[in-house]
Amino acid sequence: MKELLRNGIDHRALIRLAAGHGVRPSLLDCLGKLSWETVPDDARADLEGFRQSHLLNSLALAGELHRLATSLSDRSIPFVAFKGPTLALTLYGGLAGREYNDIDVIVPQRRADDAEDVIGSMGYASPHGDRKFRRAFLASQRQFAFIRNDDGTAIDLHWGFCGTHVPFPVAPDEIWDDPPRLSVGGRDVPVLSVPNLALLLAGHGTKENWAQLKWVSDFARMVDRHRDLDWASLHGRAQARGCGRALLLGCAMARELLDVAVPKVLASRIAGSEPVQKRAASMAETMRRGLPPPAQVEHFADLLLCDRTIDRVRGALKLAFTPTAGDYEAMRLPPALWSAYYASRPCRLAYRIVTRRA
């Protein structure tokens, strides 16, 4: 790192890339350990300004998670917090050790409406219409976003870890058996167990096409800190869910980009999987080009979760026939005619594909 800095580097480009990949806290830590060698004053001031605002935002989100946990518990609604403040504490050792901008909680599907009522009572509202609209056009994603208008704080309410069209390494019904607790802002909050968190990080990174270095860093830290995990068993669980390659791909990306040693039991399985090796090499090469990550993950990218071709086909077909809010915006029909979107969506997708190629 010192050699790179001394040889000259575009600090503005460095900061832009760090922001795009969500790794500014790690960059700050690294540059601080190097005594900010060769870093111009204006670039350092920008990063220090981010550090202060990020710390304040992290504390605010931790406070909101504390408030949400209290409200859900008062209504006897089971929940587990993941990502956000809890992931920062678990893997990075502090609330501000990782970039994030919302709170994620998952509840049993049967209690999703109750949890939505709790979030609404806290001053949050959905930017995506009323409950009927969300159920019609967004429920297939198995999560809804809620935002507080006064400061933009966001809560993502989940009852699944991915959309209904793809498998995922860990199922929601596997997390409710006595989840561990983590102290956040003076309150113990239920979180994912370490094995379930490892599967979640592998699945989430794969679902998002490993487009941000932050997601690679998350999984790399998990591997590096928990070598005693039964990785063979975890891979078996993921395979049984139809997405065993996600775990192998996470390990391959951690090794390719961050030089983290892959657990021995999985190294041989990566070596025996040409699709995993090719995908990891391609993704790593894309990141090494120094281009900013895409603002939006490629459509159908989450089909990468599927090990089997038949599951990818099924997932693509389900996506093709499941109406979304975009279909409503393209052709606003009254609720009585919303079922027509099941027929119009494939036509709309086909038209977009044809015009894009033209």
Side-chain angles (χ1 to χ4, degrees):
M1 185 72 174
K2 280 186 177 181
E3 184 178 352
L4 286 171
L5 293 170
R6 288 170 180 168
N7 288 340
I9 193 169
D10 185 338
H11 291 88
R12 288 295 169 192
L14 175 64
I15 293 173
R16 284 196 302 271
L17 278 174
H21 284 283
V23 293
R24 282 176 290 184
S26 296
L27 178 61
L28 274 159
D29 181 58
C30 184
L31 292 177
K33 288 178 180 177
L34 297 177
S35 303
W36 294 91
E37 185 167 334
T38 78
V39 179
D41 290 342
D42 59 342
R44 179 174 179 176
D46 283 352
L47 285 170
E48 292 286 8
F50 162 77
R51 188 205 301 271
Q52 294 176 21
S53 62
H54 178 54
L55 177 57
L56 290 173
N57 187 56
S58 300
L59 291 171
L61 287 172
E64 281 302 286
L65 177 56
H66 186 293
R67 194 161 72 102
L68 176 61
T70 300
S71 299
L72 291 173
S73 297
D74 288 346
R75 291 280 300 273
S76 299
I77 300 174
F79 73 96
V80 164
F82 64 104
K83 298 197 293 186
T86 61
L87 188 58
L89 286 169
T90 300
L91 291 182
Y92 294 81
L95 287 171
R98 179 183 184 274
E99 283 197 55
Y100 53 94
N101 52 22
D102 57 13
I103 297 167
D104 290 87
V105 296
I106 185 170
V107 301
Q109 184 172 359
R110 60 184 172 80
R111 302 300 304 273
D113 286 350
D114 297 331
E116 187 175 319
D117 291 339
V118 167
I119 293 172
S121 71
M122 294 171 58
Y124 290 81
S126 171
H128 301 118
D130 59 18
R131 184 173 291 181
K132 183 177 181 180
F133 181 88
R134 293 194 299 276
R135 293 292 182 270
F137 297 102
L138 302 173
S140 63
Q141 295 302 312
R142 295 196 286 198
Q143 70 176 80
F144 294 144
F146 299 90
I147 298 174
R148 198 168 60 194
N149 289 331
D150 58 354
D151 61 3
T153 302
I155 295 176
D156 281 352
L157 174 65
H158 302 249
W159 58 96
F161 292 117
C162 64
T164 58
H165 59 289
V166 288
F168 199 76
V170 59
D173 59 9
E174 296 176 309
I175 71 172
W176 301 114
D177 186 16
D178 194 24
R181 292 180 173 268
L182 179 70
S183 179
V184 180
R187 180 187 177 89
D188 286 344
V189 175
V191 296
L192 294 173
S193 66
V194 171
N196 285 337
L197 181 58
L199 291 173
L200 173 95
L201 294 176
H204 180 264
T206 301
K207 179 171 72 76
E208 300 294 339
N209 219 24
W210 296 102
Q212 287 191 4
L213 187 58
K214 171 174 67 174
W215 299 323
V216 181
S217 174
D218 292 342
F219 190 75
R221 285 173 179 261
M222 173 60 68
V223 172
D224 202 41
R225 295 186 178 193
H226 296 284
R227 297 198 167 275
D228 57 339
L229 278 177
D230 186 348
W231 289 99
S233 175
L234 288 181
H235 185 229
R237 284 177 60 188
Q239 281 184 310
R241 300 278 304 160
C243 41
R245 286 181 185 171
L247 193 65
L248 301 183
L249 189 55
C251 288
M253 291 295 289
R255 179 176 64 187
E256 189 76 18
L257 288 171
L258 298 177
D259 202 27
V260 170
V262 175
K264 290 182 180 180
V265 70
L266 298 185
S268 60
R269 300 181 189 187
I270 293 172
S273 176
E274 187 176 350
V276 168
Q277 293 180 62
K278 285 185 175 180
R279 174 65 67 169
S282 174
M283 290 177 170
E285 179 58 28
T286 297
M287 203 170 288
R288 288 194 182 101
R289 291 175 190 157
L291 300 174
Q296 188 173 3
V297 176
E298 181 185 353
H299 201 47
F300 296 123
D302 51 3
L303 295 177
L304 186 61
L305 281 165
C306 304
D307 287 345
R308 303 185 305 171
T309 301
I310 186 63
D311 289 334
R312 288 192 289 274
V313 173
R314 287 172 179 166
L317 287 174
K318 194 162 188 177
L319 277 178
F321 285 92
T322 301
T324 68
D327 297 302
Y328 175 80
E329 292 299 327
M331 182 176 62
R332 297 196 175 197
L333 298 176
L337 297 178
W338 282 355
S339 59
Y341 288 116
Y342 287 94
S344 67
R345 175 167 170 76
C347 298
R348 177 171 171 262
L349 286 177
Y351 175 77
R352 286 173 58 189
I353 292 171
V354 170
T355 54
R356 188 176 298 173
R357 287 180 177 176

